[in-house]
Amino acid sequence: MYLNESDQWHHKPLHTEILQFLRKENVAGASAFHAIAGFNGRNRVHSSSLVEAGGNLPVVLIFVDFEEHVSRVLPRLREMAPQRLIVRENVVIEQGNLD
C-alpha cells in the first residue's frame, strides 16, 4: 500500500491504524516504511529536509499472508484508504514460514 504520512483514520495516522488492524486480524506479518523522499501521482517531490517538512512524505506498508487471509482483510483496507494505491502480488517464500 502506498500512503502519505499525513493520511488519517479517525484522527490517527493511517499507517499505524492499518498495522493495528492487520495485527488484530492475525495477519502473518506487516511493516511500514517511511520514505526520506518521494512523490505520489503527479505531485511534486517531497523530502525530509526541514525546509519541506509538511507531512506529505510517502509511507509504504507491506504485509504477507496466505491468499485467503489477504482476500479477507482487503475490503477493510480499501475502506480505510479509498484513494490510495494498493498493489497485490503473489510471492514465493524461499526460506522461513508464515507462523
Side-chain angles (χ1 to χ4, degrees):
M1 298 183 71
Y2 292 82
L3 310 171
N4 282 336
E5 64 183 342
S6 61
D7 290 338
Q8 301 276 307
W9 178 255
H10 298 280
H11 308 292
K12 296 179 183 172
L14 178 59
H15 64 280
T16 57
E17 292 299 297
I18 290 174
L19 287 173
Q20 292 295 334
F21 165 71
L22 294 173
R23 180 70 225 128
K24 184 178 131 197
E25 293 296 319
N26 294 314
V27 166
S31 297
F33 298 93
H34 190 264
I36 59 168
F39 67 93
N40 286 328
R42 307 237 185 275
N43 297 320
R44 67 184 180 92
V45 174
H46 296 276
S47 71
S48 61
S49 68
L50 292 176
V51 175
E52 296 187 42
N56 286 322
L57 289 172
V59 174
V60 177
L61 191 142
I62 62 166
F63 70 97
V64 61
D65 209 327
F66 294 107
E67 171 69 26
E68 59 270 15
H69 297 154
V70 173
S71 295
R72 180 175 45 82
V73 300
L74 209 50
R76 180 68 168 173
L77 297 177
R78 288 185 183 123
E79 177 188 338
M80 293 174 81
Q83 303 301 318
R84 295 296 174 220
L85 180 65
I86 299 174
V87 178
R88 185 174 181 174
E89 295 182 59
N90 290 325
V91 297
V92 175
I93 296 174
E94 296 288 338
Q95 185 171 319
N97 58 49
L98 295 180
D99 295 328

